[in-house]
Amino acid sequence: MRIEGEFRHKAAHAILSDLKDKDEEELGQKLIGYVVNQWLLTDKSKNLIPLWQKLTDLANGSGAIPPLAPMLTDRLVQEIKWFLTGGAAGVFYRVFQLFGEVGKGDFLLFMFDYVEKPNEKEHFTIPGNMSKDLELIQKQHPNIETINYYLKRAVKEIEEEKKTSQTDQSKD
């Protein structure tokens, strides 16, 4: 069986940064963790295929390899970070700068309405991979109660990445 995937842009840089100076055992576990937390290979009944279950067990510490450090394995935090740095927050900022408080309010009301009636005409279309993403997040957070913890964690990671990036640039 051969499986290929690609990590690009910020994800690739974050992975490379996270993997430097790791011992062989920890490196293998982290690499497996990145793959199984990015993609899910399931059968027709939506159950993980046996190989993918074994890899998931290894990445999560149920196998012979110790548990992963949580920094890049938390799907919800990664999604929030993408939202805050990948353009969505930039659009919100532009709307605010161009149209002020009223424009910001109108934009938020529009977004609430847009996602409230998914798959209806002139509303949000749910992507095909959404159910898998939600299953993964619910698996990682079985007792999720409030979004605030994850928002703060995402912002903290963004700030840490900025510091690392600034340090790396100052070395150039």
Side-chain angles (χ1 to χ4, degrees), residues 11-22:
H13 291 287
I15 290 169
L16 287 174
S17 173
D18 194 44
L19 292 178
K20 46 182 188 187
D21 303 324
K22 301 292 181 203

Side-chain angles (χ1 to χ4, degrees), residues 110-166:
F110 173 81
M111 288 303 302
F112 289 142
D113 182 60
Y114 189 73
V115 298
E116 190 172 337
K117 302 170 189 165
N119 295 333
E120 290 186 17
K121 185 178 180 186
E122 298 182 2
H123 286 82
F124 177 68
T125 301
I126 300 173
N129 65 343
M130 182 65 74
S131 63
K132 289 180 183 177
D133 280 348
L134 290 172
E135 286 174 21
L136 176 60
I137 291 167
Q138 288 170 337
K139 180 180 175 185
Q140 291 178 329
H141 305 280
N143 300 316
I144 195 167
E145 292 180 18
T146 176
I147 189 66
N148 294 328
Y149 167 81
Y150 304 98
L151 294 172
K152 289 175 186 173
R153 209 168 126 202
V155 169
K156 181 180 176 187
E157 285 189 21
I158 291 167
E159 291 303 315
E160 288 172 1
E161 289 170 8
K162 284 181 190 176
K163 287 179 191 174
T164 302
S165 175
Q166 290 169 351

Side-chain angles (χ1 to χ4, degrees), residues 34-48:
Y34 296 135
V35 172
V36 298
N37 287 303
Q38 180 70 27
W39 298 283
L40 293 176
L41 293 184
T42 61
D43 58 22
K44 292 177 185 177
S45 302
K46 304 277 187 199
N47 297 317
L48 290 178

Side-chain angles (χ1 to χ4, degrees), residues 9-10 26 39 46 57 60-61 63 66 80-81 96 101-103 108 111-112 119 121 129 135 143 151 154:
H9 308 296
K10 288 183 181 181
E26 187 178 10
W39 298 283
K46 304 277 187 199
D57 291 344
N60 291 329
I80 293 169
K81 283 173 54 179
F96 175 62
E101 288 290 332
V102 172
L108 280 174
M111 288 303 302
F112 289 142
N119 295 333
K121 185 178 180 186
N129 65 343
E135 286 174 21
N143 300 316
L151 294 172

Side-chain angles (χ1 to χ4, degrees), residues 23-116:
D23 64 36
E24 233 176 270
E25 188 173 300
E26 187 178 10
L27 178 66
Q29 181 193 18
K30 281 194 166 287
L31 289 172
I32 293 168
Y34 296 135
V35 172
V36 298
N37 287 303
Q38 180 70 27
W39 298 283
L40 293 176
L41 293 184
T42 61
D43 58 22
K44 292 177 185 177
S45 302
K46 304 277 187 199
N47 297 317
L48 290 178
I49 64 170
L51 170 64
W52 215 251
Q53 184 60 57
K54 287 178 185 176
L55 290 173
T56 301
D57 291 344
L58 284 173
N60 291 329
S62 300
I65 301 174
L68 274 173
M71 183 169 176
L72 287 175
T73 60
D74 190 320
R75 181 68 174 179
L76 182 57
V77 172
Q78 294 306 311
E79 291 287 329
I80 293 169
K81 283 173 54 179
W82 170 85
F83 186 88
L84 296 174
T85 61
V91 171
F92 187 76
Y93 178 80
R94 286 180 190 92
V95 167
F96 175 62
Q97 292 302 308
L98 292 168
F99 304 105
E101 288 290 332
V102 172
K104 180 174 76 170
D106 288 347
F107 185 79
L108 280 174
L109 291 173
F110 173 81
M111 288 303 302
F112 289 142
D113 182 60
Y114 189 73
V115 298
E116 190 172 337

